[in-house]
């Protein structure tokens, strides 16, 4: 049966048009699904009984099962969800003083094969649909008893390899009749699929874009991120310029610093060369250790050297705070449990 949670407002409007129902049914159903967390059509008491029956006949409301939850010393919580077909995905809730950021997965696994990433090691199981993504956010909000202020597609998976479903999820998160999270507070992180970046630049909402760069030396990037060899650095740089020209919004470039790999003086010089004059914000991420991985976190001195060099070239730079590392809830540590380590 079709899972109705996969539809954003446009999808629901299309559906109700087909059923000869007024458009506002979409708003009603969105509110039932994402504000009141209804688990059956019967509960949707402001819909006519006949419509509720029709819907129940054609659709299901799938709710993933929570199969594991871990709480970090710093309050970060990690959740493992299982969908009806057995596929699993993780999401993370990161509370700060007055915010709750939820990091969600867009695919079960990932096909891109990045050398330093725990998800990359296990390959792709399947893309998630929008409801499966949105639920990872709803489930965290319910468990933490707080409103989600920020959502980031930085869990497992490559969002632009599952573009339409990801966009529908972002729209559910943004919709005032669902999560009501401001578009600027919703971020998508891509490993650098250029056609996806171009498409994203044309979307009407002001969603935020982050691009995983990791190295501005082509041979290093090819080795670290084999899945994006087809989109070499000059093509990526041009896409970032086009994105800026079209949206007037600065993308973030993510660089996870790995000792001896992308934190040497030459690598830092290449990074500065790539970023100079580009309207970007660089986010340096202290590499999170992944079991069995040869890649290790850069020394603080190397992180400072990168910050200094970028600042000297006038590139806006920040260093990401390390959260949830005691429960492996940090970037790149999310993996598919079902398939083991
Ligand atoms: N597939 C997308 C989004 C998910 S990964 C992407 O690659 O951008 C989210 C971020 O975590 C990316 O910047 C990714 O490069 C980074 N990452 C992966 N493994 C990591 C690790 N072990 N330590 C730090 N960051 C990591
Ligand atoms: Fe996939 Fe992103 Fe991990 Fe690369 S870093 S394997 S693109 S999830």
């Amino acid at each position: 049966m079709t899972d109705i949670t996969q539809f954003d407002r446009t999808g629901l409007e299309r559906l109700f048009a087909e059923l000869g129902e007024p458009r506002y049914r979409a708003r009603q159903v969105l509110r039932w699904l994402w504000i009141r967390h209804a688990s059956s059509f019967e509960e949707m008491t402001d819909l006519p009984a006949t419509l509720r029956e029709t819907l129940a006949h054609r659709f299901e409301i799938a709710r993933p099962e929570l199969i594991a939850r871990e709480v970090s010393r710093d309050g970060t919580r990690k959740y493992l969800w299982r969908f009806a077909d057995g596929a699993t995905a993780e999401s993370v809730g990161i509370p700060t003083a007055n915010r709750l950021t939820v990091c969600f997965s867009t695919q079960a696994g990932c096909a891109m094969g990045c050398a330093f990433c725990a998800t990359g090691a296990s390959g792709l199981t399947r893309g998630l649909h929008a409801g499966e993504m949105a639920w990872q956010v709803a489930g965290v909000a319910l468990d933490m008893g707080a409103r989600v202020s920020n959502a980031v597609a930085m869990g497992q998976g490559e969002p632009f390899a599952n573009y339409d479903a990801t966009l529908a999820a972002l729209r559910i998160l943004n919709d005032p009749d669902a999560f009501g999270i401001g578009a600027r507070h919703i971020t998508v992180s891509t490993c650098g699929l250029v056609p996806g970046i171009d498409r994203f630049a044309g979307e009407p909402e002001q969603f935020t874009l982050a691009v995983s760069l990791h190295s501005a030396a082509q041979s290093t990037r090819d080795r670290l991120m084999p899945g994006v060899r087809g989109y070499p650095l000059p093509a990526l740089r041009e896409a970032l310029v086009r994105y800026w020209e079209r949206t007037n919004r600065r993308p973030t470039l993510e660089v996870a610093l790995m000792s001896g790999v992308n934190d040497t003086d030459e690598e830092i010089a290449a990074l500065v060369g790539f970023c100079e004059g580009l309207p970007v914000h660089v986010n340096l991420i202290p590499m999170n250790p992944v079991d069995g991985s040869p890649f290790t976190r850069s020394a603080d001195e190397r992180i400072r050297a990168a910050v200094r060099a970028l600042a000297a070239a006038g590139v806006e730079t920040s260093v990401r705070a390390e959260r949830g590392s005691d429960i492996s809830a940090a970037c790149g540590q999310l993996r598919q449990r079902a398939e083991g380590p």
Side-chain angles (χ1 to χ4, degrees):
M1 231 186 323
T2 309
D3 178 4
I4 199 161
T5 69
Q6 71 192 275
F7 297 114
D8 61 4
R9 179 183 295 260
T10 310
L12 288 171
E13 282 176 353
R14 205 172 293 139
L15 173 80
F16 286 117
E18 231 175 79
L19 294 172
E21 288 286 332
R23 265 167 93 100
Y24 64 80
R25 297 281 181 236
R27 175 168 53 86
Q28 289 177 305
V29 169
L30 273 177
R31 296 181 69 88
W32 278 112
L33 291 176
W34 302 114
I35 295 178
R36 294 155 119 166
H37 304 112
S39 53
S40 74
F41 293 103
E42 238 159 80
E43 290 165 59
M44 305 185 180
T45 45
D46 53 0
L47 304 184
T50 49
L51 177 59
R52 278 184 266 156
E53 264 169 49
T54 308
L55 292 175
H57 197 69
R58 283 186 49 181
F59 299 100
E60 63 174 344
I61 301 172
R63 292 301 187 202
E65 186 191 348
L66 177 63
I67 55 174
R69 192 190 80 141
E70 284 177 84
V71 179
S72 161
R73 283 190 292 274
D74 66 22
T76 299
R77 294 186 191 180
K78 180 167 75 166
Y79 304 80
L80 177 64
W81 307 98
R82 185 166 57 208
F83 307 106
D85 66 350
T88 59
E90 282 171 303
S91 61
V92 180
I94 309 154
T96 45
N98 44 15
R99 290 197 314 199
L100 172 59
T101 300
V102 177
C103 172
F104 64 95
S105 299
T106 55
Q107 301 183 302
C110 184
M112 306 310 295
C114 298
F116 50 86
C117 171
T119 306
S122 49
L124 176 68
T125 303
R126 67 168 173 88
L128 303 180
H129 70 54
E132 292 171 328
M133 295 182 215
W135 181 262
Q136 296 171 54
V137 181
V140 175
L142 285 171
D143 183 64
M144 294 191 126
R147 197 191 155 269
V148 177
S149 60
N150 300 67
V152 296
M154 290 191 188
Q156 295 167 323
E158 166 49 41
F160 289 168
N162 189 18
Y163 191 95
D164 292 333
T166 297
L167 255 287
L170 303 191
R171 293 194 165 121
I172 294 171
L173 294 171
N174 180 225
D175 201 303
D177 288 309
F179 293 74
I181 304 171
R184 287 161 190 261
H185 296 147
I186 300 175
T187 301
V188 172
S189 174
T190 177
C191 60
L193 299 181
V194 167
I197 295 173
D198 283 328
R199 222 177 134 187
F200 199 58
E203 302 295 352
E205 297 89 351
Q206 299 198 309
F207 297 129
T208 299
L209 175 69
V211 175
S212 299
L213 180 65
H214 301 315
S215 175
Q218 191 67 55
S219 58
T220 308
R221 194 165 194 268
D222 286 349
R223 185 160 62 86
L224 293 175
M225 307 176 73
V228 283
R229 280 187 191 150
Y231 302 106
L233 289 161
L236 177 61
R237 200 174 191 282
E238 284 163 23
L240 293 168
V241 171
R242 284 195 297 277
Y243 181 86
W244 162 259
E245 287 171 350
R246 193 125 181 227
T247 66
N248 252 303
R249 297 193 301 277
R250 254 167 213 262
T252 296
L253 292 184
E254 301 165 276
V255 179
L257 289 171
M258 305 167 218
S259 184
V261 176
N262 61 357
D263 66 351
T264 60
D265 288 340
E266 302 81 73
E267 283 280 338
I268 293 174
L271 177 61
V272 170
F274 184 87
C275 297
E276 237 175 346
L278 255 191
V280 292
H281 174 97
V282 173
N283 193 208
L284 299 172
I285 309 168
M287 162 84 190
N288 293 301
V290 170
D291 286 348
S293 162
F295 300 99
T296 54
R297 182 188 186 286
S298 289
D300 288 340
E301 177 273 317
R302 288 283 85 200
I303 299 175
R304 281 196 298 271
V307 171
R308 261 199 316 273
L310 288 161
V315 180
E316 209 182 90
T317 307
S318 57
V319 180
R320 185 178 295 173
E322 294 164 87
R323 297 288 306 263
S325 44
D326 56 322
I327 56 165
S328 297
C331 281
Q333 293 180 311
L334 307 183
R335 65 170 79 230
Q336 258 169 288
R337 288 310 165 64
E339 293 185 12

